[in-house]
Structures are given as structure tokens and as C-alpha cells.
Amino acid sequence: MGTLRIASSFKNVHAIMHAPLGDDYFNVMRSMLEREREFTPVTTSIVDRHVLARGSQEKVVQNIICKDKQEKPDLILLTPTCTSSILQEDLQNFVNQANLNTETDILLADVNHYRINELQAADRTLEQIIRFYLDNLKLQNINKTEKPSVNIIGIFTLGFHHQHDCRELKRLLTDIGIQINLIIPEGLQIHQIQQIPNAWFNIIPYREVGLMTANYLKQKFQLPFIQTIPMGIIETSKFIRQTQKIIYNTVPKKIETYIAKQIKSISQAAWFARSIDCQNLTGKKAVVFGDSTHAVAITKILVYEMGIQVVGSGTYCKNDSDWFREQLQSICDEILITDDHTKVSNMIARLEPSAIFGTQMERHVGKRLDIPCGVISAPIHIQNFPLGYRPFMGYEGTNQIADLIYNSFTLGMEDHLLEIFGGHDSKKIVTKELSVNQQLNWTPSSLNELNKIPGFVRNRIKRNTEQYARQKNCKNITIELMYEAKEALSS
Amino acid sequence: MNLNFECETGNYHTFCPISCVAWLYQKIEDSFFLVIGTKTCGYFLQNALGVMIFAEPRYAMAELEESDISAQLNDYLELKRLCLKIKQDRNPSVIVWIGTCTTEIIKMDLEGIALKLEKEIFLPIVVARANGLDYAFTQGEDTVLSALVQRCPKSHQDQDKALKRLVLFGSVSNTVANQLTLELKKHGIQVDGWLPSPTYTELPSLDHNVFVCSVNPFLSRTATTLMRRRKCQLISAPFPIGPDGTRHWIEKICHSFNRNPAYLNERENQVWEKLSSYLNLMKNKSVFFMGDNLLEISLARFLIRCGMQVYEIGIPYLDKRFQAAELNLLKQTCIEMNCPFPRIVEKPDNYNQIQRIREFQPDLVITGMGLANPLEARGINTKWSVEFTFAQIHGFSNAQDILELVTRPLRRNLNLNMDRLNEQFVL
């Protein structure tokens, strides 16, 4: 998947999957989620019974040659899948065979599906393609651009708000006098790869994909890179200062003025966080989960810029866990690194936050537990490919994130009114809790009282009250006991 | 005059057959489906069934890792652990193992392991190899049902040996099953059971006195298993899709039971009457089926009867014997409606098809999701084929739903001023 996402981001690069029927649902995702108008440049060289019996060399080579004639791509990428890695065929040999009869370049994506996940595969494939075209380039043949310029690495197909982020970054960089050399790999043509080293430095907005490429470019061409994630006011400003330091070794006055002006006039987030409405967010609890880039950035924003307590933060990027821990060590209570979503939902159920910021999975968990959820990271669904302009990065991004966070919490005043008047949802109590203890008896009046408590805290109150009743060996839960429990527990 | 069949390269898009768990786990209420595959299968299920995956579905992935593949771990113990957990958490009446490409290639002996495990955990385990090496999309259901046939009980001793009974096979929603059952009841025919039944514990009993008839065109393996293993008698009929198909289907069943269907013509005409507003829209419009779910022949036959022209019927796999009655009806329909025979392309090649679509410029292309948006961007109206798999399309009462789907893009164009829009964005 990751390999295909990279391949289909380039212009005129065709991927051929070596896979059984039905493994090509990538085409569906791209065409559905991104509402892509072009045919996805991915074909499958189908592995079926006949292929198992005969070996797939003939078929793969034929398919490559055929595609070369049909589409005339600049590069064909042969992509193994889980199934084909077990077959242990010498795909490199097929590539060499096909090379004899085609005009185009052919590469074999070097990924082992059992060892790495989608994002790691994307990272590697990108590096592999760039390396393939730059390895023979000599240092003295590089013509650096006259004005300071930069490559943005890691913008690609099916990325979470990538297109919007990319536009926002371009705007920001142009503002501070840095030209964009190339965007990699989205829309990049193969012949442009030669111009990558002309930039002064690289920017890696997303940790998951692009770091390998950046490291390679640093080794070979001494291109420095910035891996600060320009998300949130603090980090965006830090990011701008870093770009200046790379170019001038100092931060010019006018840039400081620029930052100040942006925070005052463009980004409403800083003022918003100070405004009176946001006071109600103080001390609210949130859980964050996503890829490492977004989980870290959103956690920092919640804690430093909004004063919200993050009780748990986690990522499914296990390979990046050290960095993740280091970033969030001191600012959130619990860190969870797992790709098992049941562990995540258990954590959420245990911590009972007022809002979740996570992926599509956490959104479903939130629905089940009646906790609002803002989606901040892949895996995502069609509603996260909005038509409107919704960057997460830069100063405009701070506004979007502030909106997202604020709307995820129940609005301040509404919150109060619910509490005072016992809420307007008289939903029956759903027993989602762990206690299936039937010996406790709620009197009608206390049940009524319980029903007045807003949905998202009702379960906790119920559980606490029952626990308290058990401690006191009470069989009947009356209103009095409820109040007692509340007092006992709020001390 | 014969239908013309062709066969291409098989480079086409369709869903993996493991997607059948999506509807089967809902159909068989006391089942649990365990898909034994890799990350790829997991991603696919997650994306294809994204909406349902967190509604505590009764299916799960047993994800194979490198150690499983290199046989360092014991498959048997691993599966035992999983199945015990499933038994404890969900307590199903049956666990269905879905074999995938990977289990096929590493030659995991699922059937053997299941036999041993069943005895140990006191729970039936049914093995279906719904892999992409052999099958396309809806054929996944075929593999599961043919595995279930083996589990159907033998008839009771006290049952009347001479009594002919009827069992229908194909998974349709309970509403549709009831509709079809009632439709047959009008002609004095009682349906004795369905495969799959709403629960595993109510599987129909089978023997040589049982007539079986399919409601779906992709169940050829199941039909073969029923005939060979359980000596059932297959009624070869067109499928009850569209009022014409439904009528022929009922007629065939009636003939097998030596009954004369009454009022069938009136019933069919009533339905056509109801559809007239759709038919006006469809008259002389052309359709192109790219092919991915094996419903294509029946749908094309129905649409020709509605007055449309079909250029091409792409289909992943065509069992000419199993679909014989349907193919005959298609031929007959073409002759009666005075339209040329469509070309039937087995294992189509999407690239070539797109070239042909360019040439023909059909009014409607019925295609998979991966190609719908790019075709729309080129000014071609499309309809997702997968919707036909998940909509209720069987019987007299659901004919309208099919046309609702087919005409939706045509109606949309009436609503949007397409010509003006097209000027703006056709590439």
C-alpha cells in the first residue's frame, strides 16, 4: 500500500503489483477517497493457479512490456505483496528481463510486507526511487538556486490533509522569502529528480514518510533538513526560526516581526485560547492517538496552547516509539504505543476523557462510549478529504485545529446548562460498564436523578456510586446514598 | 444465431472474495468468521467494511506473521488459542475459517486442523477457501455455502420418503427470503428451507428427494456440491432478478413440482406497469458492464427487457452449465426485443474495456469503484456495480430498486445541467 501511494503520487510512474485478484483495492481507495479524476496508475499482474504452477516470470514480463507500450511511463515500479513474498520468486530477475525489451526504467520495490507497515514501506520506496536517479549525480554538477529555496518532502496520495498542508507551507515559505524548489513526490516528474539537490535545504513535515530520503540527501549532497512539525503556534514559529538559521545563521528582525504579526492577526488561536469561552476547557481531559507526527503535535497544542489535560497519548508507529516518548515524556500522563486498536479503546474506556482526538477507529470508539471525537490522523474516511481549505499546518492550520478541538468539547455554556437542568437527553442508561452486578437496586427516584446527569459522565457516576454502595454494604441505592457517594469521592 | 463469448487477460478490478464475510456474518446470526490471512487482507477488510468494523462485528482477522509462514510457530496451537477465545467471548454456534491466498500458498492444512480442533473445543468449524487466487468477489459466498452443504443434516427416518421438498440457496436478506417464500406459496409450493439459514442450527436437511434452486448466479460450486455430495436435484432456472427473471424462476420451480402456475402473467404485468416511469428514461439508452460480481448476465437480461441496449457484458467467471437457463433467456430476450446480442467477455481486461468505452460512448457504465470517478471525469455516466450486491434486487417487489439504481445517474443528469457543467470540467 505504501509503495503504491508513493508511486501514484509521481507523474507518469506506473506501478505493477504482483498480487492475486482483489489485492488492488488501492485503486478503489484512491479514486473514492481522493475523488481522483485520473485512472490510478496501478495494474495487477494477477497471481492465480496457473501462475502458481508455472511461475509468473512470463506473465510479469509481458505485463511490464505491455504497460510500457500502452502508457509510455517514465518508470515502472514492480511491487510485491504479502502473497508474492511467500512465493520467493526472483522478481529482480524479471525486472532485468523486462529491461531488455522496454524503453522505460524499471525498479523493484524493496519491501518486506511482514516486517514493515504501510508508512515504512512508503518511506523506503520514496528513498529508493530518489536514490536510483541521484546516485550517479556528482556534487560539482549541482547548480544551487540563486535565492534560498527548499524541497518539501513527504506530500503524497491519500495523506491526511496533505494537499491543504502543502498549500499552507508554500504560502508561509513564500512569505518569509524562501522559494519552493520541488514538492516530493506529489506531482513530481521523474526528470525533475535531478533538480532536487539544487535546493538549499529540505523540509520534512511528516516524520513517517520522508526522513529516509532526507537523510540520504544529507549524506550525499550535504543538504540540511528541518524536521520540526509546523503544527500549532509554538512549533510553527520555531519552524520559521529554524529555516532562517539554516540560511543566515541568525533570525533577522523582520522575521520576528512577521511571526508576531501572524500570531496577532492571522492565527486566531492564541487569542481564542485566552478568550473567556476557553476557560471552560481548562482541566478537561483528552486522549490523543494517531500517527506519531499528528499525535505529538496535537498533544503539544492541547497542553501548551489550550491548557487541556492530556491523560493519554499514543501512536501506532511502533518503529518511532523512542522519539514519541521523548517528545511527550513530561507533558502527558500516559503513553501508549500499540497497533492493536482494542488496547486503545480499553485505555479510552478506562480514562474516560471528555474528548478524543484520534483516527477513524477512535471515532467509532467515541461513538460507542458517547465521547466526542475529532479526527486528527490517518487511517481516515471520505469525510476527511474535505473540499474546503483545511490545513493543519502553519498559522491557518492553528485556526482549523482550534475549531476542531473546541467543537469536539461540548460548548461551555451548554455544558453548564446541562448540568443544572439535568440534561435534555433522557436516554435509557446503557450498560457499558464492567459491573454486571445485579444485586444492587436503584430506587426509582435515584434512577431519575441518574438520568438527569449528562450522558458522557453518567456511567462514571453510576459506577462510582455502585462501588461506594458495595463498600458500605448497601443493597439499595437511594438518592441520599448518591449524594453521599458524590461527596466521598470528590474529596 | 448464437451468443458470442470471449475471454481476455483477466487484468480487471474486483473485490477480494473474503469480503463475503461482510454480509454472511450478518445473515447467519450465530456464526463467527475468522479470516486467516495477512496485513493486506486486514487492510482490505478495514477499508471495504470500514463502517461496520467497529460495530463489534462477528468476524476477526488471524494475522499471519513471518514466523507463521516459516513454520516456526505451531498453526494448530495458535488457532486453538484464538478459537477458544472466540468461544469464550462470543459463544457462536459455528466458527467459519476463511482461507486466503497466503494459507493457500503455504499449504496450511486448514481442513485437517479444523477436524482435530472441532473435537477438542466442541464447536463446529467450517473451512471455506475464499482466496483471490481462484475466485472473484461474490464467489466467496459460493465457497462458504458449499462448505456449509456438507454440514446439513441428513433427513429424519420418519420423514416421508416419497415427499419432494424444496430448498433454496443463496444469501438474501430475511425480508427478501420471506417475499420469495410467499411468492411461491401463492402457487402452493412450500419452501422447506434456505441455505444459508438465519442460524447455523437451522440448516435444512438434504437428500435425493430434495429439489434445490439458486437465487444467485454466482453459486455454481454450491450447486455442484449439492448434486454430487447430497444427491439433490437442481432446478436449472433463470435467476429471480427483475420481473421477467422472477416469473421464469417461479415457472421452472412449478414445473418441477408438476404444478401449473396461475396468474403469473398478471403478476408480472402489474410490476411492469409500476415501472413504466423508469422505462421511459431507459428506452434505447446503452449500457456497458465492466464486470466484477457475476450478477452481470441477469442484470443485462433485465435491462434489455427494459428497452436498453447492452454493448458488452464483462464477467469474472461464467459457468455456462449453471447459468444455461439464464443465458437462454438472455438470448430469447434479445430476439424478442429485436436488439443485437451483446458480447460476453469473461476475465475482461480493464484497459481494453476503457478503450472500447471511449469508442462506444455508452450512456451508462456499470463498474467497480476504482474506475467510476475517472470515467465520470471523462463525461461517462457510471453506476457502482457493488451496489447491486448489497441492494435488495430479487423478486417481483424489488425490481423497482434495481431501476432506481440504474436510472440514478440518468436522473441526476436531468437535474444537473450537465452540458454546462461538462464544458467546465471534462478533461
Side-chain angles (χ1 to χ4, degrees):
Chain A
M1 284 296 286
T3 304
L4 297 177
R5 285 173 61 186
I6 294 294
S8 59
S9 298
F10 280 100
K11 267 219 159 55
N12 211 14
V13 169
H14 200 98
I16 294 186
M17 288 170 77
H18 183 234
L21 197 65
D23 263 5
D24 51 8
Y25 56 93
F26 172 74
N27 297 36
V28 173
M29 286 178 65
R30 185 160 183 263
S31 134
M32 294 305 306
L33 295 177
E34 297 226 314
R35 303 180 191 89
E36 180 55 54
R37 293 177 182 195
E38 281 307 314
F39 292 108
T40 310
V42 173
T43 329
T44 320
S45 172
I46 305 254
V47 178
D48 58 14
R49 287 275 160 207
H50 306 295
V51 168
L52 287 185
R54 263 202 329 235
S56 39
Q57 166 153 359
E58 204 179 322
K59 199 164 182 179
V60 172
V61 174
Q62 222 171 33
N63 270 316
I64 294 177
I65 293 170
C66 180
K67 260 306 139 207
D68 179 42
K69 285 202 180 75
Q70 285 171 353
E71 310 266 346
K72 304 230 174 328
D74 301 324
L75 167 70
I76 287 181
L77 193 68
L78 182 60
T79 312
T81 56
C82 302
T83 309
S84 63
S85 24
I86 315 172
L87 289 175
Q88 296 185 335
E89 289 184 296
D90 186 0
L91 293 176
Q92 189 54 54
N93 174 24
F94 302 170
V95 167
N96 302 344
Q97 286 290 318
N99 247 328
L100 302 175
N101 308 310
T102 51
E103 304 289 307
T104 166
D105 298 318
I106 308 170
L107 266 181
L108 170 66
D110 173 24
V111 285
N112 176 333
H113 285 276
Y114 292 99
R115 293 188 194 162
I116 56 173
N117 65 25
E118 180 180 332
L119 292 165
Q120 288 166 289
D123 204 11
R124 260 173 215 224
T125 306
L126 181 60
E127 191 241 19
Q128 194 192 352
I129 294 175
I130 303 290
R131 184 186 284 265
F132 179 76
Y133 285 101
L134 287 184
D135 252 355
N136 301 328
L137 190 67
K138 299 276 181 298
L139 261 180
Q140 54 270 26
N141 299 348
I142 295 171
N143 323 314
K144 286 277 181 218
T145 54
E146 222 170 298
K147 292 211 177 88
S149 70
V150 65
N151 300 315
I152 303 179
I153 303 180
I155 306 282
F156 65 119
T157 296
L158 289 176
F160 182 71
H161 291 242
H162 275 199
Q163 301 299 347
H164 309 267
D165 283 347
C166 184
R167 204 168 114 192
E168 183 63 22
L169 284 177
K170 280 186 193 167
R171 201 182 59 96
L172 187 80
L173 292 161
T174 317
D175 275 354
I176 55 177
I178 300 173
Q179 293 176 342
I180 309 291
N181 184 43
L182 291 170
I183 307 283
I184 303 166
E186 187 61 50
L188 193 71
Q189 303 210 1
I190 291 296
H191 67 81
Q192 293 175 303
I193 292 180
Q194 298 289 332
Q195 302 156 23
I196 289 177
N198 300 354
W200 292 30
F201 64 105
N202 290 320
I203 291 175
I204 319 297
Y206 310 102
R207 284 188 63 78
E208 290 75 25
V209 177
L211 269 183
M212 278 178 87
T213 309
N215 279 320
Y216 163 73
L217 292 170
K218 185 168 182 179
Q219 267 170 15
K220 187 150 169 70
F221 303 106
Q222 283 85 53
L223 271 183
F225 63 89
I226 294 183
Q227 45 171 329
T228 301
I229 306 155
M231 233 182 271
I233 298 173
I234 300 170
E235 295 291 312
T236 303
S237 307
K238 182 170 148 195
F239 166 86
I240 292 176
R241 291 189 183 106
Q242 283 180 332
T243 62
Q244 300 304 309
K245 279 191 186 138
I246 281 192
I247 302 170
Y248 308 112
N249 287 324
T250 155
V251 182
K253 254 233 148 42
K254 64 171 199 205
I255 292 295
E256 286 297 352
T257 328
Y258 170 79
I259 292 175
K261 194 178 138 211
Q262 292 288 315
I263 291 176
K264 235 179 129 101
S265 59
I266 301 294
S267 172
Q268 302 295 313
W271 157 238
F272 176 74
R274 292 218 35 89
S275 70
I276 205 78
D277 210 7
C278 261
Q279 277 190 11
N280 289 325
L281 296 184
T282 310
K284 288 245 185 199
K285 292 183 193 167
V287 166
V288 181
F289 191 85
D291 62 22
S292 44
T293 298
H294 288 88
V296 164
I298 297 289
T299 306
K300 285 183 179 169
I301 292 171
L302 286 167
V303 174
Y304 293 137
E305 300 180 18
M306 296 213 152
I308 291 163
Q309 187 193 355
V310 177
V311 284
S313 183
T315 181
Y316 53 79
C317 298
K318 287 167 64 180
N319 52 316
D320 209 9
S321 55
D322 296 348
W323 179 81
F324 191 86
R325 283 206 177 86
E326 171 207 356
Q327 291 290 312
L328 299 182
Q329 201 77 67
S330 51
I331 63 173
C332 77
D333 307 350
E334 244 183 87
I335 287 180
L336 178 70
I337 289 162
T338 177
D339 51 9
D340 175 355
H341 72 82
T342 50
K343 282 191 183 143
V344 182
S345 53
N346 289 343
M347 173 173 91
I348 294 170
R350 181 168 47 84
L351 296 172
E352 294 178 325
S354 330
I356 313 167
F357 299 96
T359 70
Q360 212 42 252
M361 278 75 147
E362 283 69 56
R363 209 170 62 88
H364 285 285
V365 174
K367 268 191 194 155
R368 254 206 339 248
L369 300 175
D370 228 353
I371 302 171
C373 174
V375 176
I376 54 139
S377 153
I380 38 184
H381 224 291
I382 190 110
Q383 61 262 52
N384 294 105
F385 288 89
L387 301 171
Y389 185 48
R390 298 260 174 79
F392 267 54
M393 296 196 165
Y395 291 115
E396 178 52 38
T398 59
N399 295 338
Q400 297 291 345
I401 293 173
D403 276 345
L404 177 81
I405 290 173
Y406 185 67
N407 293 337
S408 300
F409 287 100
T410 319
L411 304 180
M413 255 347 243
E414 196 185 346
D415 208 6
H416 279 304
L417 293 173
L418 279 175
E419 223 160 299
I420 295 166
F421 296 113
H424 44 56
D425 58 337
S426 47
K427 265 193 299 200
K428 282 278 166 286
I429 299 169
V430 263
T431 44
K432 278 184 304 216
E433 64 280 88
L434 311 163
S435 70
V436 253
N437 195 325
Q438 294 305 325
Q439 292 141 10
L440 290 169
N441 179 25
W442 287 72
T443 61
S445 53
S446 61
L447 257 184
N448 244 338
E449 186 66 20
L450 186 65
N451 274 334
K452 284 185 197 162
I453 293 162
F456 49 91
V457 288
R458 190 184 300 148
N459 268 318
R460 187 170 53 206
I461 304 273
K462 182 172 184 222
R463 209 166 29 235
N464 290 344
T465 311
E466 288 182 351
Q467 213 170 357
Y468 180 81
R470 257 183 242 118
Q471 277 168 7
K472 301 213 90 172
N473 278 330
C474 292
K475 283 277 186 324
N476 282 334
I477 298 179
T478 57
I479 289 203
E480 289 83 339
L481 191 87
M482 267 180 91
Y483 291 144
E484 258 181 53
K486 191 175 170 187
E487 267 177 27
L489 290 163
S490 60
S491 53
Chain B
M1 287 288 279
N2 265 324
L3 294 168
N4 32 3
F5 299 98
E6 291 171 37
C7 188
E8 280 187 315
T9 60
N11 278 342
Y12 64 99
H13 296 298
T14 180
F15 276 160
C16 172
I18 61 174
S19 52
C20 69
V21 302
W23 63 87
L24 286 174
Y25 91 83
Q26 297 193 343
K27 174 73 200 176
I28 309 172
E29 291 159 19
D30 53 354
S31 63
F32 193 97
F33 283 76
L34 184 66
V35 180
I36 303 162
T38 56
K39 264 204 183 66
T40 311
C41 314
Y43 278 146
F44 167 69
L45 282 179
Q46 200 179 338
N47 288 311
L49 320 175
V51 186
M52 294 183 283
I53 222 164
F54 296 102
E56 300 261 353
R58 290 187 316 280
Y59 63 84
M61 277 292 309
E63 211 171 89
L64 296 165
E65 288 172 0
E66 209 164 18
S67 43
D68 299 307
I69 282 159
S70 50
Q72 286 165 8
L73 280 181
N74 187 327
D75 302 334
Y76 175 74
L77 290 175
E78 208 39 33
L79 285 166
K80 182 176 172 180
R81 190 183 60 78
L82 275 171
C83 288
L84 279 172
K85 193 171 174 341
I86 292 168
K87 188 179 172 180
Q88 192 190 341
D89 293 351
R90 302 299 186 81
N91 193 22
S93 315
V94 59
I95 297 182
V96 184
W97 285 357
I98 301 286
T100 58
C101 305
T102 311
T103 54
E104 210 62 29
I105 290 172
I106 60 175
K107 298 205 164 44
M108 208 179 202
D109 180 19
L110 292 177
E111 281 87 354
I113 297 175
L115 261 175
K116 262 167 71 181
L117 252 185
E118 271 190 334
K119 295 196 179 80
E120 278 196 40
I121 64 172
F122 305 110
L123 195 65
I125 297 174
V126 173
V127 180
R129 300 186 182 190
N131 62 71
L133 297 168
D134 300 315
Y135 305 107
F137 193 15
T138 46
Q139 289 178 290
E141 177 181 329
D142 199 14
T143 59
V144 175
L145 295 194
S146 56
L148 279 175
V149 169
Q150 313 274 29
R151 303 299 178 114
C152 288
K154 293 266 187 326
S155 304
H156 295 297
Q157 292 299 324
D158 54 357
Q159 238 164 4
D160 190 352
K161 283 279 192 293
L163 195 67
K164 290 180 178 169
R165 290 175 299 127
L166 175 67
V167 169
L168 299 176
F169 60 102
S171 104
V172 286
S173 74
N174 293 341
T175 328
V176 174
N178 290 337
Q179 285 169 341
L180 290 174
T181 307
L182 288 174
E183 211 65 66
L184 287 168
K185 205 172 167 180
K186 284 180 188 164
H187 304 285
I189 290 172
Q190 191 201 332
V191 178
D192 293 286
W194 280 84
L195 181 76
S197 42
T199 62
Y200 178 78
T201 44
E202 323 170 62
L203 283 176
S205 56
L206 299 172
D207 60 35
H208 63 277
N209 274 330
V210 173
F211 278 97
V212 288
C213 189
S214 172
V215 296
N216 274 327
F218 43 77
L219 297 174
S220 54
R221 257 181 84 94
T222 311
T224 312
T225 314
L226 283 163
M227 289 191 293
R228 287 194 188 153
R229 291 293 173 97
R230 308 307 296 267
K231 304 290 178 259
C232 300
Q233 302 173 57
L234 180 72
I235 301 172
S236 170
F239 302 98
I241 292 169
D244 47 344
T246 309
R247 185 193 120 187
H248 283 275
W249 181 76
I250 293 174
E251 267 179 0
K252 279 277 195 171
I253 293 176
C254 285
H255 285 312
S256 309
F257 283 86
N258 300 326
R259 286 180 196 280
N260 270 331
Y263 306 117
L264 250 188
N265 277 340
E266 289 83 337
R267 180 86 176 96
E268 190 190 353
N269 289 335
Q270 270 173 5
V271 178
W272 284 115
E273 210 53 41
K274 259 205 254 166
L275 300 177
S276 58
S277 63
Y278 294 100
L279 300 187
N280 295 337
L281 259 179
M282 294 161 70
K283 201 142 191 65
N284 296 330
K285 294 267 194 321
S286 52
V287 191
F288 190 106
F289 285 88
M290 288 190 91
D292 73 347
N293 60 13
L294 284 93
L295 295 168
E296 289 84 3
I297 304 273
S298 313
L299 286 171
R301 178 259 306 151
F302 174 41
L303 297 186
I304 291 172
R305 176 62 69 183
C306 292
M308 292 183 102
Q309 280 232 331
V310 177
Y311 284 135
E312 178 168 318
I313 306 175
I315 188 165
Y317 166 78
L318 181 60
D319 185 327
K320 284 184 197 161
R321 275 180 56 197
F322 180 64
Q323 295 223 39
E326 185 62 87
L327 287 167
N328 270 333
L329 184 57
L330 170 71
K331 206 165 134 180
Q332 200 186 319
T333 306
C334 286
I335 293 167
E336 283 172 23
M337 299 300 290
N338 206 356
C339 85
F341 290 159
R343 45 193 304 194
I344 296 172
V345 182
E346 209 179 343
K347 294 202 176 9
D349 182 302
N350 281 163
Y351 182 85
N352 300 343
Q353 285 186 313
I354 290 163
Q355 308 308 322
R356 293 199 286 270
I357 287 170
R358 263 206 194 122
E359 200 178 317
F360 289 138
Q361 291 290 322
D363 296 304
L364 179 68
V365 174
I366 293 179
T367 176
M369 291 186 181
L371 298 165
N373 271 335
L375 284 169
E376 287 280 354
R378 285 158 182 72
I380 303 264
N381 298 312
T382 59
K383 186 82 216 117
W384 292 338
S385 49
V386 68
E387 290 196 64
F388 294 103
T389 321
F390 293 120
Q392 306 196 335
I393 57 173
H394 297 82
F396 284 129
S397 20
N398 296 313
Q400 191 172 342
D401 292 25
I402 304 179
L403 298 193
E404 185 70 30
L405 287 176
V406 171
T407 57
R408 191 167 297 158
L410 306 173
R411 279 178 291 130
R412 178 201 59 190
N413 295 356
L414 292 177
N415 296 343
L416 293 173
N417 188 338
M418 276 320 249
D419 295 340
R420 296 246 332 252
L421 273 174
N422 276 340
E423 276 167 32
Q424 311 293 327
F425 73 71
V426 167
L427 309 166

